[in-house]
Amino acid sequence: MLLGSCDWRFKSNVKVIKAVKKDTELINEMDSLLSDEKHFHLWWLGQSGYLLQWKGKRVLIDPYLSDSLTKKYAATDRPHVRMSERVVDPALLQNISIVTSSHNHTDHLDAETLMPVLRNNPGIKFIIPEANRDFVAERVKCQKQFPIGLNEGRTVTVGEFTFSGMPAKHNEIARDENGNCRFMGYVIEFGKYRIYHSGDTIWFDEMVDLVKPFAVDVAILPINGNDPLRKVAGNLNCEEAVKLGKLIGAKVVIPCHYDMFTFNTAEVDDFIKEADKLDQPYKVLKGGERFSSN
């Protein structure tokens, strides 16, 4: 598989990657597929954020759709200079059944993104690591009992979607005083399909045995690596993401957690080379681009 031609614009000497579709055009595409009963559709919203749509239901996974981190770190030694334009205004996201947060870092738990989503989607369910309940409630200004808490080995079903909690190591498998994981991934099961979203994680050997039994159709895995000089917790690198996909038998690996901030990214071409070497099927998406099941 090859990447298509890149569409760039320039701003403050940084190449800002334009979305394939964004805002109203993106929403219109999503709406046009609401009646599809045969396939699921998955749009990359940037960083580790995705919108999953199946049989008219929408699951919003770890969305970051603001410039809150760019503003927060502008005058620090870790400036979060954005590389890709925002795919969609979170206020436009409607008919969302479920939204997730895999951990408390802002690019996975962003108040500027989540508060309008929660406000505009009556009846929405919010899935989080149980260990983070108090922190989440404070950040997004919701009732403490509102989120649905998951932990390693725990499963919850919301409508036709079942979420199984997986531990993540970022850069530790951190737990609260009750043993609940603070960093998590999820396996999402619906119909005949299974998607693994690892959250932010570095490699740990147990993850293969935990995820492999699910025989996932799609594994969504970070590729930005683990460089201590960045002064932030790290992730799988390109080689590790491909290796993990191969070992768990993922039918397709979709890379994420790159092309958002200049200081903490990866070259997706390196992922492509590794995937080709191991004959691991993959799909590289651009912001606002769709992956659909066969």
Side-chain angles (χ1 to χ4, degrees), residues 117-178:
V117 168
L118 296 176
R119 181 172 60 247
N120 293 337
N121 290 275
I124 192 172
K125 305 299 182 184
F126 188 16
I127 294 178
I128 65 166
E130 176 60 37
N132 301 341
R133 182 176 296 276
D134 288 353
F135 186 95
V136 169
E138 173 60 28
R139 175 165 285 184
V140 305
K141 309 304 178 189
C142 69
Q143 296 295 316
K144 285 185 181 181
Q145 67 271 21
F146 170 63
I148 299 170
L150 268 186
N151 190 32
E152 174 186 1
R154 183 179 170 190
T155 296
V156 64
T157 298
V158 179
E160 297 183 75
F161 297 91
T162 296
F163 291 74
S164 296
M166 297 287 157
K169 188 174 183 179
H170 191 50
N171 278 2
E172 302 295 334
I173 298 181
R175 301 182 186 272
D176 68 7
E177 62 277 10
N178 297 314

Side-chain angles (χ1 to χ4, degrees), residues 40-268:
F40 74 79
H41 305 282
L42 190 67
W43 288 266
W44 189 30
L45 305 181
Q47 198 70 330
S48 296
Y50 291 82
L51 189 141
L52 167 64
Q53 184 167 286
W54 184 67
K55 289 188 174 182
K57 302 294 184 181
R58 291 173 174 166
V59 179
L60 188 57
I61 305 169
D62 278 34
Y64 174 73
L65 297 168
S66 80
D67 285 320
S68 60
L69 285 169
T70 301
K71 291 180 287 187
K72 179 179 179 181
Y73 289 102
T76 73
D77 62 351
R78 285 185 296 161
H80 285 48
V81 178
R82 179 182 274 275
M83 296 176 65
S84 296
E85 67 177 346
R86 186 179 68 172
V87 169
V88 64
D89 181 345
L92 296 177
L93 294 172
Q94 297 182 347
N95 302 314
I96 307 296
S97 300
I98 305 164
V99 63
T100 73
S101 166
S102 62
H103 62 282
N104 288 343
H105 292 161
T106 302
D107 55 335
H108 299 259
L109 181 73
D110 179 40
E112 291 186 23
T113 298
L114 290 168
M115 290 175 73
V117 168
L118 296 176
R119 181 172 60 247
N120 293 337
N121 290 275
I124 192 172
K125 305 299 182 184
F126 188 16
I127 294 178
I128 65 166
E130 176 60 37
N132 301 341
R133 182 176 296 276
D134 288 353
F135 186 95
V136 169
E138 173 60 28
R139 175 165 285 184
V140 305
K141 309 304 178 189
C142 69
Q143 296 295 316
K144 285 185 181 181
Q145 67 271 21
F146 170 63
I148 299 170
L150 268 186
N151 190 32
E152 174 186 1
R154 183 179 170 190
T155 296
V156 64
T157 298
V158 179
E160 297 183 75
F161 297 91
T162 296
F163 291 74
S164 296
M166 297 287 157
K169 188 174 183 179
H170 191 50
N171 278 2
E172 302 295 334
I173 298 181
R175 301 182 186 272
D176 68 7
E177 62 277 10
N178 297 314
N180 296 312
C181 292
R182 295 193 180 279
F183 304 103
M184 294 191 68
Y186 303 120
V187 174
I188 310 171
E189 300 178 75
F190 51 100
K192 65 179 182 179
Y193 300 111
R194 296 174 177 88
I195 292 176
Y196 172 49
H197 185 284
S198 72
D200 280 2
T201 189
I202 60 174
W203 184 276
F204 62 101
D205 290 338
E206 297 85 354
M207 67 198 314
V208 174
D209 290 336
L210 288 170
V211 180
K212 188 175 181 179
F214 288 92
V216 298
D217 297 281
V218 177
I220 300 172
L221 305 175
I223 63 167
N224 60 302
N226 183 29
D227 184 353
L229 294 178
R230 297 173 180 167
K231 302 180 183 179
V232 293
N235 277 316
L236 302 170
N237 60 29
C238 295
E239 181 180 2
E240 291 167 333
V242 171
K243 178 183 174 184
L244 178 59
K246 194 71 173 180
L247 289 175
I248 64 175
K251 294 182 179 67
V252 177
V253 173
I254 297 178
C256 69
H257 214 295
Y258 66 96
D259 280 0
M260 178 58 75
F261 302 117
T262 55
F263 86 106
N264 190 12
T265 188
E267 293 292 339
V268 75

Side-chain angles (χ1 to χ4, degrees), residues 1-4 251-255 268-277 279-285 289-292 294:
M1 297 184 187
L2 298 175
L3 283 170
K251 294 182 179 67
V252 177
V253 173
I254 297 178
V268 75
D269 285 349
D270 293 340
F271 167 84
I272 292 171
K273 291 174 185 176
E274 295 295 334
D276 288 341
K277 276 196 294 187
D279 197 26
Q280 169 60 55
Y282 63 91
K283 177 65 176 179
V284 171
L285 297 176
E289 187 176 6
R290 180 180 88 246
F291 171 84
S292 298
N294 294 326

Side-chain angles (χ1 to χ4, degrees), residues 29-48:
E29 180 180 71
M30 293 173 177
D31 288 347
S32 73
L33 295 166
L34 279 171
S35 60
D36 186 349
E37 295 284 322
K38 295 182 179 180
H39 311 96
F40 74 79
H41 305 282
L42 190 67
W43 288 266
W44 189 30
L45 305 181
Q47 198 70 330
S48 296

